[in-house]
Each structure stands twice: as structure tokens, then as C-alpha cells.
Amino acid sequence: MKVLLLGSGGREHALAWKMVQSPELEKLYVAPGNAGTADIAENVNIPVTNFEAIAGFIAEKDIEMLVVGPEDPLVEGIRDFLQRDSRFGELMIVGPGKDGAILEGSKDFAKQFMKRHGIPTAAYMTVTPENVSEGQRFLTTLQPPYVLKADGLAAGKGVLILHDLKEAQQELENMLGGKFGKASSRVVIEEFLKGIEISVFAITDGKDYKILGSAKDYKRIGEGDTGLNTGGMGAVSPVPFADEVFNRKVEEKIVRPTVEGLKKDGIDYRGFIFFGLMNDNGEPAVIEYNVRMGDPETEVVVPRLKTDLIQLFRAVATGRLAETALASDDRYCTTVMLVAGGYPGNYEKGNVISGFEEIEDSIVFHAGTKLADGQVVTNGGRVMAVSSFGRKMTEALQRSYMNVAKINFKDMNYRRDIGKDLLELGAKH
Ligand code: AMP
Ligand code: GLY
């Protein structure tokens, strides 16, 4: 099988790392990839949203399967674009079409979808410039804090959580006025959900689904969940508080109704679904859907999969998931993200990274790295994820941190408290 994977983050290195373990893989290309994917596959210098160039490459190299890592090409309709092309009748695509990707591309759509299909989520109202005063009134009916979300994709920055009513009302106007550009021309106001966040990952062929695993990520830059939001500073899988009872609720109240809902709505969804959930005293509710895997969650969920990823992806793309068995490692996997000093604000690029090649008992997934004059250098805010297994979460974390200490680049930063909250929650883990 000749496969093209789109993306360049730790998520894509983890997917590539797993795909190259498949005996069915003949050749893997990654566009645009990073220094980690260059080591195990062939990088191709094509941006993920250059559909014409991607189509040209698929035709030229007789690619049989396309796996889409990030959301942008999905929301912009890469699947639809390729399927309109008669050359690609046989091409297997892992990733939904535009009609499915809108679950991530529009928060208003996602809320309507959940309401229509009885999937638990926070109460909400969608506001446009035409009904601002209704929106202002809706805010007064809520308890603080107030949650305001840009409807469209805003590079993970479109959510504001505000403690003061006046400020929330002002921000509502700012957002509608273009604070996040076109993405906030519609704003979803939501009730604030209490509890602990957890992410659950599934894959579907539009008929059946498999749950790939659960993970918790650490979004803030600072220890103790302080400071600015990032793409994610570390992750743990599985999540110890997600016991059998909770997992059953997630599957029955959320995962299954979502896949059934897509079917009922006539959406032929083939790809990942990332459920961002809140666990409020054992009751799950959806915070958001993403139509891709998480990053850095992939770096802990994918290593635990014991299933051949090419076989799984083929089943997803061809609608034969029901015949596929999924197995996963019951050990913990943890990852610690190494980031550039200054991230998520301004940071340097091009600093040489040392010490990662000798690491054997962790898996080093590259994120923002590239090759320059034969050396691996930093090329993004999130630079590398160090993933480790352990029978106990503490063991996995110790291994990740031991190996993090061997890696070095100028102004390297990381959180020293990944998993700490979970350990405090349940000392037995
Ligand atoms: P989202 O982009 O929808 O994932 O929102 C970003 C973050 O804001 C989430 O990961 C949560 O931490 C928080 N958040 C979003 N919506 C809510 C909500 N309704 N209640 C509480 N926290 C929320
Ligand atoms: N780590 C969160 C995300 O991938 O959206």
C-alpha cells in the first residue's frame, strides 16, 4: 500500500511511526512532515491545504490511501475535492468530507447536531449581529463564568471564558465585530460545565465505530494549569477516572448516538472523531467535537494500539470496520511535550536539538522540527513529545521525565506536572 499522510506535527509522526510497522505498507509519504517523519518515511514539500498539488502528487505516485492529520484540509473539503476527480475513484481516504468536518468547523452546527440527537452538552445560544440583544439577555440568565465561542475555526484561540457579566457582554460585541475575523461572525454562548476534562477518540466507517482510547491533555503553558493556552503540553492514556461505568456512559450516551446521528443526517463519515468531554461527577457531556486526532493525545493513544493501522484505515475507508478487531495495550502511556522558550508567544526557531537519538526506552515523536545542514533543529513552538509506557502511570511518567532530561536545545521548556492531578485524584494509580 502506498500512503500519503498530511500534516507535520507530533500527531503525524505518531501515526507514521505506527503505519510503518505494518507489513502492508509499501511506501509512506508525509506532506509536509518534520525531521521525525523524514527518518521513517519520505517528506514531500506540499502544504496541507494545497489541494491541486496534493491531487497531482497522488496521481503521479499512484497513492492508494490518503490519511489526513489536521482539521484545516478536512473542513476545507479535501475529501470532496478528490472525490470529484475521476482519477481517484479507488483512492481510500481517512477523514470526513465537508459535511462531516463541519462538526469541528462550526460550533453552532455541532450544538444543533447534539440537540437534534439527544447528546448531552451545555445549554447554548447562537448569536449573530442580528440578535445581539437576545444574546446579551441570554448571558444574564447564566451563572458565571461565561463561555463565548467563535463559531468557526480560530486556531484553537476562539474560546473566551469570562467571570464578569459586563465583560462577557462587551466581548460578545467584540467577537461579532471581528475579534477572530470571520470565525466569530457567529458566536456560541454556552453554559459553563463543571468537572474534569477527558478526551475520547473513536474511528468510524460511517456505520460502525471503534473506540481507540481515552486521554487527558494539559493545555496551559504553566504548571498547575496556569498561564496561556497551548496546543497541549503533555498527555496521559488511559485516564484513570474513566472507569468501566463512565466509559459505558460515554459510549452509550455520546459515541453511539453521534455515529447514529451522522447516519440519520445522511453524512457518510469515514475518519476519526475526537470527543472533548467534561466528566461532572461521573456524567459525561460533550464540550466539542474534532474531526481529527488530538495532538499530543495521539502520541499516547496510538502507541497503545495493538492493531495494524493500515488494516484499520483500510477498513474505515472501505466501510468494513465491523469485521476488524481492535486491541490495545493495557499499560499507561504518557507524553511530555518539549516546547520552545516563549511559546505560546514569540519563540526562536532553528536551534539545534541534541540528546534525543540515544533514547531507547521512550518514543521521541517530533513535532516542530526540521533538518538543516544534517542537524535536527527546532521549527515550531511545540518541538518534541517524549512518550513512555508503564504498568503504573507513575512509572511511565518517570521514564518520560528521565529521558526529557537527556534532551537539550536553547530555551527548552516543559511542564513538570503532567499527570500529577490524576495521581492526586486516585493515589492507587
Ligand atoms: P473548545 O475549543 O471548545 O475545546 O474550548 C476550549 C476549552 O475551553 C475547553 O477545552 C475547555 O477547557 C473550555 N470550555 C469550552 N467550553 C466549555 C464549557 N461549556 N464549560 C466549561 N469549559 C469549557
Ligand atoms: N490537544 C488538543 C487538540 O488536539 O485539539
Side-chain angles (χ1 to χ4, degrees), residues 107 122 147 149 156 159 161 190-194 197 219 229 278 287-288:
K107 305 237 184 228
V147 182
K149 299 185 174 182
V159 177
I161 298 184
E190 268 185 29
E191 162 202 19
F192 183 82
L193 295 172
K194 291 188 295 292
E197 286 184 61
K219 287 204 176 87
N229 251 322
M278 193 66 91
I287 299 175
E288 63 164 352

Side-chain angles (χ1 to χ4, degrees), residues 11 217 219 231-232 274 288 290 292-297 382:
R11 167 182 52 213
D217 82 335
K219 287 204 176 87
F274 165 163
E288 63 164 352
N290 295 304
R292 53 174 172 84
M293 287 296 286
D295 194 352
E297 293 93 327
R382 292 193 297 168

